[in-house]
Amino acid sequence: MRYGINVTLDGCVHHEAGLAPDEDSMRYWTAEMERADALIYGRVTYEMMESAWRRPASGEWPDWMDQWDIPFAENIDSTKKYVVSSTLEPGEVDWNAELVRGDLGQAVRRLKQQPGKALSVGGVTLPLALADLGLIDEYAFVVQPVLAGRGPTLFAGLRERVELELVDRQDFRSGAMALRYRPAVT
């Protein structure tokens, strides 16, 4: 399972705290999306992503999208999604999504055992729980050259320290950089 998120230099993960997406970052996130067979989100992230990236009933992407947004939008729109929620009912998720309930660790382990490429997780709260359970195999951070000074931070409340090793780095023209880590073998 891979976890990916945009983060500011001071660790803020609010989606509006970084720089506006540009061509480099959207290509990066599109490629990341293509590496996954399915996405797993908590309710809040699922609803946020659906409101931004679900193909409108008209079939036409909104005018606010740049050309480089469309491959990402098409990919996320068609990708299978799992939604972890104790408040949503099965009929309240669609957008190629299935509700996940019960023991989180057991449910995610079952999903990870399915054949295919991988699961990709997004958000803030769910990845914290998955990191605590040792279920994240790879972390991808696009570090934005911004100090937000406020907002939710990455992995606040993590129970145990997770040692990581850098496996890839990519610099963007905007000054952002994509860093990919895997848990260090101890």
Side-chain angles (χ1 to χ4, degrees):
M1 171 176 303
R2 288 187 292 274
Y3 173 51
I5 195 163
N6 289 299
V7 61
T8 62
L9 283 169
D10 56 348
C12 183
V13 291
H14 189 277
H15 69 281
E16 294 176 353
L19 298 176
D22 62 6
E23 189 170 357
D24 286 342
S25 65
M26 290 310 295
R27 281 189 181 155
Y28 177 82
W29 289 120
T30 301
E32 282 297 296
M33 187 77 54
E34 291 170 351
R35 294 178 63 214
D37 287 322
L39 308 171
I40 185 166
Y41 294 139
R43 179 191 55 82
V44 172
T45 302
Y46 168 77
E47 290 174 347
M48 179 184 69
M49 298 301 270
E50 181 185 28
S51 71
W53 300 108
R54 185 175 191 156
R55 184 183 296 272
S58 70
E60 299 297 318
W61 293 109
D63 291 340
W64 64 262
M65 283 190 184
D66 289 309
Q67 279 303 113
W68 60 72
D69 292 321
I70 293 173
F72 179 86
E74 289 174 343
N75 201 302
I76 193 171
D77 186 60
S78 65
T79 300
K80 172 73 176 170
K81 295 155 199 80
Y82 295 97
V83 183
V84 177
S85 174
S86 60
T87 59
L88 291 173
E89 294 299 322
E92 294 181 287
V93 297
D94 55 8
W95 194 40
N96 198 23
E98 181 179 318
L99 193 60
V100 175
R101 289 214 166 144
D103 182 276
L104 178 64
Q106 287 179 1
V108 171
R109 283 182 193 92
R110 260 191 318 273
L111 291 172
K112 286 179 69 169
Q113 290 173 352
Q114 293 180 2
K117 293 183 262 187
L119 283 172
S120 179
V121 63
V124 179
T125 306
L126 178 60
L128 171 62
L130 295 172
D132 273 337
L133 291 168
L135 293 173
I136 299 178
D137 306 306
E138 189 174 277
Y139 297 81
F141 306 114
V142 174
V143 182
Q144 302 288 339
V146 173
L147 297 172
R150 60 182 160 51
T153 56
L154 198 56
F155 295 109
L158 188 65
R159 285 186 280 183
E160 303 255 342
R161 180 178 164 146
V162 178
E163 296 285 334
L164 302 173
E165 60 184 359
L166 182 67
V167 295
D168 191 40
R169 173 188 167 159
Q170 182 178 348
D171 296 327
F172 299 151
R173 289 173 292 200
S174 66
M177 65 178 82
L179 304 171
R180 183 182 316 280
Y181 294 91
R182 291 196 181 115
V185 179
T186 55

